[in-house]
Amino acid sequence: MTRTVRDQRNTSSCSAGSTPRPKRIGPLCSHGRRFRIGQAEHLDVDDESLGGILAWYSLIHIDPALINSALTEFARGLRPGGGLALGFFEGPELASFDHAVTTAYYWPLELLSARIEACGFTVTGADRRTAPHARTHGFITAIRKPHSTNG
């Protein structure tokens, strides 16, 4: 999943989240690429200035009614063709659950993929991973459409 971010050459990438606790992105930083931590709903970057966004379990706490604002902000910050890698808890229906920090949400793979598409992206990969006695994990990669009309 990190390939979407790593394949971008000579561009900045961003790890975005909805909680103030930053994620460790040190292993991704190599070969002179620049990385930054950003708030999902407000990346504080110029339009089309990023080559990739890694949102690895970063959006699980965003209310489903508000998630399009984060996805639209991702599309605004990414250059056309820029990559998005997203990890989340996958479930058969959109549902909330108690999580260590605050309420989190299960997303059906198809529903979150459709939201991502509606916010200016083309989904390039989507999969889930299951294990006994553990939550199901979903993974989506996407690229920003050229000159998207976000919303």
Side-chain angles (χ1 to χ4, degrees):
M1 297 310 271
T2 59
R3 198 170 126 216
T4 300
V5 175
R6 282 187 160 178
D7 282 351
Q8 306 301 324
R9 304 288 187 232
N10 299 316
T11 58
S12 290
S13 297
C14 181
S15 175
S18 61
T19 58
R21 194 169 58 192
K23 308 288 185 220
R24 292 186 52 127
I25 61 171
L28 296 176
C29 299
S30 62
H31 307 290
R33 291 180 187 88
R34 295 176 295 143
F35 291 83
R36 66 175 70 192
I37 303 293
Q39 190 70 21
E41 299 87 342
H42 180 71
L43 295 178
D44 196 25
V45 298
D46 292 335
D47 293 356
E48 301 183 359
S49 63
L50 299 174
I53 293 177
L54 176 64
W56 211 245
Y57 294 84
S58 303
L59 303 183
I60 63 170
H61 300 292
I62 294 180
D63 186 300
L66 303 174
I67 200 163
N68 282 19
S69 66
L71 295 171
T72 300
E73 177 67 354
F74 289 173
R76 183 198 64 77
L78 281 171
R79 64 171 172 74
L84 172 65
L86 193 125
F88 59 100
F89 294 113
E90 201 270 344
E93 62 185 32
L94 182 57
S96 64
F97 66 94
D98 290 331
H99 192 252
V101 178
T102 187
T103 302
Y105 297 89
Y106 292 109
W107 280 88
L109 194 63
E110 297 77 15
L111 179 59
L112 189 53
S113 293
R115 293 276 191 106
I116 290 168
E117 291 264 351
C119 290
F121 293 91
T122 299
V123 171
T124 57
D127 203 357
R128 65 181 56 86
R129 183 186 60 172
T130 60
H133 311 294
R135 292 184 176 113
T136 300
H137 300 273
F139 315 99
I140 297 174
T141 56
I143 57 169
R144 183 177 177 270
K145 295 175 184 175
H147 308 294
S148 65
T149 54
N150 301 325

